Amino acid sequence: MRIEQNYSLLKHNTFNLDIKTRWFVEYESEEDLRKLLQDEYFFSQSFWHIGQGSNLLFLDHFNGVIVHSAIKGIEIVKENTEVVWLKVGASEDWDSFVSYCVDKNWGGIENLSYIPGEVGASAFQNIGAYGVEASDCIEEVHMYSLQSGNKQVLSNKECNYSYRNSFFKQTENRGKYYITYVVYRLQKNPTYKLDYGDIRKKLVDKEINLKNIRQAIIEIRKEKLPDPKEYGNAGSFFTNPYITIEHYESLKQNYPDIPSYPIDEKRVKVPAAWLIDKAGLKGHEHGGAAVHTKQPLVLINKNQATGDDIALLAADIQRIIQEKFGIELLPEVNYI
Ligand code: EPU
């Protein structure tokens, strides 16, 4: 177990904020985690578990314990002629795992290429892109309950997955369970999902295989999304909002080009990027924070922004979108 005091989280948050935590604890095994969960001092502090910090916004220094998993490993737990089940350590880098599967020609998560973060977080927040969600390929999730200190294994169904949502994100469960392993189910004879956005365009004149799909997705993402090394960011800052069909029809009278994706008989999803763009907020700034011009759903640390700069810019956007469209934008990013 690694324990650090007054530790900088600069390398642990993709907004690149130089925030300090009083304690930083990293466990390397389930055994280590069990020890941590028996420690009275730990429970007397405020604490928060992080992954790679690619979906976090620190508003201030953290006077407590930041916990991180260092559990690694990719292990085949079962396979047949069509399917392989892999048990993956929560702290494995997500994109390295995707790359590993693509190299073996195991399909299912190639459309989720180049998403920052760790495997544990993929199951926590049900990451998604280009018509695929992590939950499509998750078999089960291994986790520890902070309350009992015991291990539990949740089936995919018990994880209660929906768009960017899961058992782990629900208010009553939040922060109460630590994920140690995720079992992914991948296909040895994969079918491909190519119908979202520009994927097919990128694959013209190319053989359709996992390697080329991964390459196409990486190119699309690089064109739109800023590199956190250049401008700190956390990918999409808000989720795409669901609105009622009546609300959508009334907006359509003023904005005939408003896009939508069907959800159920009562609701549609509208792209938050379109709303922010239409409100003229591309490039809009607050302090050192700005709305990214190529993909306005992304807020960037443009020039030594503080957590407050980013939070105030987000609040400004929420207010303007509420006033203009009557829609509440909800952050996908977690504020700490
Ligand atoms: N749009 C504009 N102006 C722009 C950019 C986009 O109007 O400048 C509109 C267009 O109508 C476009 C629509 O927004 O069709 C959607 O844009 P895009 O395809 O880029 O995707 P998104 O809905 O903004 C979601 C995810 C991304 C994921 C992409 C691709 C959420 C909150 N975000 O973004 O996920 O990569 O789809 O599948 O669901 C993330 O979560 O961090 C993330 C990057």
Side-chain angles (χ1 to χ4, degrees):
M1 186 134 46
R2 176 177 161 212
I3 301 175
E4 310 271 355
Q5 199 170 1
N6 293 326
Y7 180 78
S8 168
L9 294 170
L10 186 60
K11 293 211 170 73
H12 297 271
N13 76 97
T14 55
F15 269 121
N16 305 338
L17 302 174
D18 192 5
I19 290 291
K20 285 207 168 57
T21 174
R22 180 146 180 240
W23 296 104
F24 181 76
V25 172
E26 202 169 55
Y27 56 90
E28 272 140 35
S29 61
E30 290 190 333
E31 181 64 43
D32 264 5
L33 175 58
R34 275 195 295 273
K35 276 188 208 147
L36 179 67
L37 299 185
Q38 284 163 7
D39 190 287
E40 276 176 33
Y41 181 74
F42 171 62
F43 283 104
S44 72
Q45 303 290 299
S46 31
F47 50 86
W48 188 273
H49 197 297
I50 62 168
Q52 240 164 40
S54 54
N55 218 16
L56 295 182
L57 176 59
F58 284 99
L59 298 176
D60 205 347
H61 297 293
F62 192 74
N63 187 20
V65 191
I66 292 290
V67 185
H68 184 239
S69 162
I71 296 183
K72 299 254 188 239
I74 304 178
E75 183 198 340
I76 297 182
V77 285
K78 201 163 73 168
E79 67 182 309
N80 59 32
T81 47
E82 277 142 41
V83 182
V84 57
W85 286 266
L86 298 167
K87 182 179 167 197
V88 192
S91 82
E92 284 289 341
D93 174 67
W94 171 257
D95 193 52
S96 308
F97 172 55
V98 177
S99 166
Y100 172 90
C101 295
V102 166
D103 283 346
K104 300 268 187 196
N105 204 36
W106 296 333
I109 53 173
E110 58 284 354
N111 287 29
L112 305 178
S113 287
Y114 213 59
I115 294 182
E118 293 174 356
V119 167
S122 71
F124 188 94
Q125 50 198 2
N126 191 17
I127 57 173
Y130 308 103
V132 173
E133 290 185 340
S135 57
D136 300 339
C137 298
I138 289 174
E139 178 78 15
E140 61 187 30
V141 177
H142 296 215
M143 62 176 197
Y144 275 77
S145 154
L146 271 69
Q147 217 165 5
S148 69
N150 291 334
K151 182 164 176 167
Q152 278 170 257
V153 178
L154 286 193
S155 67
N156 177 300
K157 192 152 180 267
E158 288 167 323
C159 290
N160 211 357
Y161 284 122
S162 59
Y163 168 65
R164 293 294 197 277
N165 213 340
S166 71
F167 167 89
F168 310 98
K169 286 186 92 175
Q170 280 146 23
T171 326
E172 65 275 21
N173 303 324
R174 233 195 156 102
K176 294 190 180 154
Y177 300 91
Y178 290 172
I179 295 173
T180 52
Y181 293 95
V182 185
V183 177
Y184 271 92
R185 182 186 56 240
L186 297 160
Q187 304 299 325
K188 291 185 178 174
N189 305 302
T191 47
Y192 306 123
K193 289 224 166 114
L194 306 174
D195 290 326
Y196 187 102
D198 292 340
I199 305 180
R200 269 188 206 282
K201 232 194 265 170
K202 284 272 179 208
L203 287 168
V204 168
D205 299 333
K206 294 211 175 102
E207 196 191 322
I208 310 271
N209 58 32
L210 294 181
K211 267 202 175 95
N212 285 339
I213 295 171
R214 171 169 164 79
Q215 206 43 48
I217 301 276
I218 292 177
E219 279 171 30
I220 297 171
R221 289 187 77 91
K222 280 189 173 169
E223 281 161 18
K224 282 194 191 167
L225 299 167
D227 178 356
K229 283 186 208 106
E230 190 184 0
Y231 291 123
N233 74 87
S236 298
F237 196 92
F238 302 102
T239 51
N240 287 326
Y242 288 11
I243 61 173
T244 62
I245 289 176
E246 294 85 68
H247 191 170
Y248 175 71
E249 291 302 336
S250 78
L251 287 171
K252 220 176 154 95
Q253 292 179 354
N254 290 331
Y255 309 100
D257 59 334
I258 181 170
S260 71
Y261 311 104
I263 298 296
D264 51 36
E265 310 89 73
K266 292 193 179 128
R267 298 171 306 165
V268 296
K269 183 159 87 171
V270 291
W274 184 92
L275 299 169
I276 299 171
D277 189 356
K278 202 74 185 174
L281 292 170
K282 271 186 173 174
H284 188 64
E285 295 185 9
H286 188 97
V291 177
H292 188 51
T293 44
K294 287 188 202 150
Q295 171 36 303
L297 195 48
V298 178
L299 306 188
I300 60 171
N301 178 352
K302 191 173 174 193
N303 186 15
Q304 296 181 359
T306 62
D308 276 347
D309 288 344
I310 299 164
L312 289 168
L313 175 65
D316 223 19
I317 295 169
Q318 286 173 303
R319 182 183 50 79
I320 292 166
I321 298 303
Q322 180 64 253
E323 279 168 14
K324 197 170 167 70
F325 304 103
I327 294 178
E328 186 186 13
L329 286 186
L330 298 172
E332 185 189 329
V333 167
N334 298 300
Y335 291 41
I336 303 186

